[in-house]
Structure formats: C-alpha cells, structure tokens
Amino acid sequence: MTAAAGIDLTDVDLFVRGAHLDAFATLRADDPVYWNEGADGSRFWALTKYDDVQWAYREHEVFSSSRGAVVGGSFQSADDTAAGRMLVVADLPRHRLLKQVIHPALSGAVVGAVSAQVAKLVDQAVDRLLADGGGDFAVDVATELPAGALMTIMDISWTDAHELIQLTRRMVGYRDEVFVDTGDDARLRLAWLQAEIFDFFEDLLAQRRRRPGNDFVSLLAQARINDRPLASDEILYNCMNLAVGGNETSSYTACTGLLALMQHPEQHERLLADHSLLGTALDEMLRWSSTNAYVQRVAKRDVERRGRQIRAGDSVTLWNVSANRDEEQYPDGDVFDVGRTPNRHLTYGSGIHRCIGAPVAQVELSLLFQRLLTAGVRCEPAGEPRRLRSNFILGITSLPVRIA
C-alpha cells in the first residue's frame, strides 16, 4: 500500500486546513494518476502532474467537458444539464461557436472600460483602508475588483454588482456555513442557489429584451449561431458562467496574493523596491493561489496514462493546484518568488478552455497591487484568515489586516 492510499480529494476539510498541498505532493510522487474513491460516493481519476494536466486540457478527442466542471454533475443528473449550452462545458465545435459570440463582450475596448471603473473603486477602497488603519481586505477591498468588471460588462449598478457577487459566492460556498444553512441536502441546496442566480439574470434579460444596449446580456439576447438565436437557458447559463468565473478568480487571488506578501515580507520589500516586478509577481500570485483548484472531464474512449487504464465514461479531474507545484515544472515550487520566470502556470487552464476572462482578471489584479505599491502600503495580519469551505474554488473569505 502506498502513502497515497486513503487520500480523499472530496474532503473539503483537507483544503480548509491547508493539508491539500502535502497530499498532492504525495500523489505526484507515488500515484500521479490516482483513482479517488470519495466518501461522498464519487469516483474519479485525479491527474496531479503538470504534463498530465496540460495533456488532458488539450486532448479534445479523448476528454469531454459534458459532465460539467465540478464533480457531481447537476442535481438529479450525472452529467451537467448545461452541457453544450454553457461555454465552460461545451465541446468543439459548439465551444468555438459560443466563444465567437461571447468574445466581443471581452474585447480590448471593454477591458479598457473595465480598467477605468475598477481603478475608481480600487482607489476608493484603498483610501478607506488607509484612513481606517486596516480592515477586512477580503470584504472591503477585494470584492471591488469583480464589482467594477460586472458594472461595466453587464451595465449594472454597484449595488446590483455586489448582490450578484453575494449570490455567486453563496453558490460556490454552498458547503460553507458562513454563506448558507448547511443543514439540508447539499445538492438540493446547490440547485436552489443556482436558481437564485438564474432569477437575477432572468430579470436582467427581460429588461434588455425591452431596451437592448451594448452590454453582455444584450449581446447574448441578440446573438445568433447558425442563424438561430440563443435559447433563454443558453443565455442564462453563460451569464452565470461569466459571473462565477469573474467574481471568484480575481478577488480570491488578490486575498491569497496579499497574504503571501505578508507571509514573505522579504518578497514584499523586493517588490516595493522594484515595481517592474509587478508582472511576474502577479503570475506568481496566480500560481501560488491556484484559485480554480480543478476542472472535471469525462473520457470519451479508453486511454492509458502512466500505466493506468482510464475507461470510456470515467470522470477525470485536472488538478491545477497540484500541477502548479509540480517539482518537474517548478523545482522550487513551494517557494514564493515575485521574480519567478518562466512561470507557465495553469491557473487559467490551457488550450481552448483557457479562461476567456483572463485579460480582465489580469487588469483587475494589476490595478489593485499597483495602487498598493504606489502608496507604499505594508499590511500585517490583524486576525486569522478564513478559508472558503470548498475543494473547487480555493479562496479566503475573511482577511483582517492592519496598516503597518
């Protein structure tokens, strides 16, 4: 029996405790293509090496996204009911057609407008943080990144943007007692939380059908694929896709990035002394945080990898968080280095499924940390950080800091 036996990647507490990094190191060394038998009844392969994760991202003829990005499928369905309708769970050629429709909403001009809005919110939030001598960075500052993006891309108010952030945070944190009542059935709870997000977008879609604009919802409402309009459920799924992906990556990476700087003050001082390192520092924060811990695929045919036989129909999970610490790709992967180069992290995925919103996230993070660097802000912990109860999204929901 290997040291890897008994590791359960569905154990959320493993991730909350921060013990997952040691578990992944064991899996990479002893059983890199690991058959996980979860206590929740799930069964899936776990790919933990960088080369294997990147291989699975790019082998579109071997692996499908139809089962959904998250282990467990949809409520009362083994596969994701959004398969083929939502970009992140669509295969070629549908994936390409959906991306062509969605891409204009994230054009260079849109990213520029997002930058202007996020800059205003970041300046206000950092000014408040400095005036107060500290605060909860996760709540008071980091959420302004996705808020500014949502306000611009979806043409909604600051209040509506924060309402949507709370809705998506509840859905992603459906096993976290801070966000929801965890006393009922988890899968039923998740279905209800998803329904709340759909309600939000149904109202917005109805408004945009009456008064279309240049925003993301209006774009989808007017889009056509193969000369046919998108169905309402396709519009709602892709709105949720954009909101969840955009809301979680930048804000949670910002928190983990700041925590890393506080835990590695010599790296923070290095960055303060040389602002030209910001680009590599952001990539290191993205690698270090690996906010989107994994994605799921399903094997379309039998395939062998490292001597393990993956059968058609098997679920396969691609663990970005482990690939980003792989010793063969990063010999010193457990070192936080703001000047690391090269740094081909997989935090945004790879291939056709590389996150379409990555340029927006990069702008948001750059604006925030440039503002902190320009002001010479040094933060120190003012309490214990609180981690999201999830093995899918790795985030910090509370990060009390004081200005040093």
Side-chain angles (χ1 to χ4, degrees):
M1 181 177 293
T2 69
I7 291 176
D8 183 4
L9 298 177
T10 69
D11 179 6
V12 176
D13 287 328
L14 183 74
F15 293 81
V16 174
R17 297 195 311 271
H20 60 291
L21 296 178
D22 287 340
F24 282 121
T26 298
L27 290 176
R28 290 194 301 271
D30 294 351
D31 200 352
V33 182
Y34 176 66
W35 181 246
N36 195 103
E37 298 190 358
D40 62 358
S42 62
R43 302 289 184 269
F44 55 86
W45 294 101
L47 306 183
T48 58
K49 296 283 290 179
Y50 185 99
D51 287 347
D52 295 343
V53 171
Q54 190 172 62
W55 163 75
Y57 267 121
R58 298 183 176 185
E59 286 290 341
H60 313 302
E61 297 302 314
V62 178
F63 298 107
S64 168
S65 302
S66 63
R67 189 158 291 171
V70 184
V71 169
S74 296
F75 182 60
Q76 295 184 336
S77 173
D79 289 345
D80 197 316
T81 53
R85 298 177 175 88
M86 183 167 65
L87 184 66
V88 73
V89 290
D91 295 328
L92 294 173
R94 186 69 178 178
H95 182 275
R96 182 180 296 112
L97 297 172
L98 282 171
K99 182 176 281 188
Q100 288 172 352
V101 166
I102 293 170
H103 192 266
L106 299 168
S107 67
V110 173
V111 173
V114 168
S115 177
Q117 181 62 66
V118 170
K120 292 178 184 177
L121 297 182
V122 163
D123 282 344
Q124 293 168 5
V126 172
D127 285 346
R128 288 193 299 269
L129 188 75
L130 294 173
D132 294 343
D136 191 331
F137 186 85
V139 176
D140 302 332
V141 180
T143 55
E144 298 298 358
L145 303 184
L150 289 171
M151 289 170 68
T152 304
I153 295 171
M154 295 191 171
D155 191 19
I156 57 178
S157 68
W158 182 90
T159 300
D160 284 345
H162 275 275
E163 178 187 350
L164 183 55
I165 290 167
Q166 289 307 309
L167 289 174
T168 59
R169 194 142 288 187
R170 280 162 51 82
M171 189 190 80
V172 172
Y174 75 100
R175 290 178 290 189
D176 194 320
E177 63 274 6
V178 168
F179 295 110
V180 296
D181 180 353
T182 58
D184 56 5
D185 179 83
R187 294 187 69 185
L188 179 59
R189 183 190 320 131
L190 178 58
W192 277 109
L193 293 168
Q194 289 172 338
E196 289 183 342
I197 298 175
F198 288 143
D199 286 344
F200 180 97
F201 282 120
E202 280 180 337
D203 291 343
L204 192 57
L205 178 58
Q207 294 174 24
R208 299 304 151 79
R209 289 200 192 278
R210 293 192 300 269
R211 295 185 299 278
N214 297 317
D215 59 282
F216 181 68
V217 181
S218 296
L219 183 149
L220 293 184
Q222 299 171 69
R224 302 182 76 84
I225 292 181
N226 294 329
D227 205 32
R228 300 180 63 180
L230 297 182
S232 293
D233 64 343
E234 290 179 296
I235 296 173
L236 297 177
Y237 276 128
N238 283 288
C239 286
M240 182 173 72
N241 187 164
L242 182 72
V244 173
N247 292 354
E248 306 308 312
T249 301
S250 60
S251 58
Y252 282 145
T253 300
C255 294
T256 307
L258 182 65
L259 180 61
L261 292 176
M262 291 191 293
Q263 292 175 334
H264 302 85
E266 77 290 349
Q267 293 298 310
H268 192 194
E269 292 302 323
R270 182 182 174 196
L271 185 56
L272 283 166
D274 184 359
H275 293 191
S276 71
L277 292 173
L278 180 58
T280 55
L282 293 179
D283 276 331
E284 183 70 341
M285 292 176 193
L286 286 157
R287 181 190 73 87
W288 191 256
S289 59
S290 298
T291 299
N292 186 182
Y294 77 90
V295 295
Q296 179 181 225
R297 297 289 186 263
V298 57
K300 296 195 283 187
R301 60 175 172 82
D302 292 356
V303 63
E304 184 178 310
R305 190 71 174 180
R306 296 187 188 268
R308 306 302 297 269
Q309 192 69 26
I310 299 171
R311 300 293 184 186
D314 284 353
S315 285
V316 181
T317 51
L318 288 55
W319 289 90
N320 304 317
V321 62
S322 179
N324 283 343
R325 300 280 183 126
D326 186 355
E327 297 78 4
E328 292 184 11
Q329 181 71 15
Y330 299 101
D332 59 348
D334 289 330
V335 173
F336 181 74
D337 177 5
V338 296
R340 183 183 299 278
T341 184
N343 190 350
R344 301 182 182 90
H345 62 79
L346 296 177
T347 300
Y348 290 131
S350 183
I352 66 167
H353 279 286
R354 177 176 166 81
C355 177
I356 194 173
V360 174
Q362 288 288 139
V363 164
E364 295 173 29
L365 291 167
S366 180
L367 286 167
L368 172 59
F369 283 97
Q370 184 62 63
R371 176 70 172 82
L372 294 174
L373 288 176
T374 301
V377 176
R378 291 174 172 82
C379 292
E380 58 186 27
E384 286 297 316
R386 189 186 184 285
R387 299 187 181 276
L388 179 70
R389 286 188 55 78
S390 174
N391 66 340
F392 178 62
I393 295 293
L394 307 183
I396 295 173
T397 61
S398 180
L399 184 61
V401 300
R402 67 174 64 91
I403 304 302

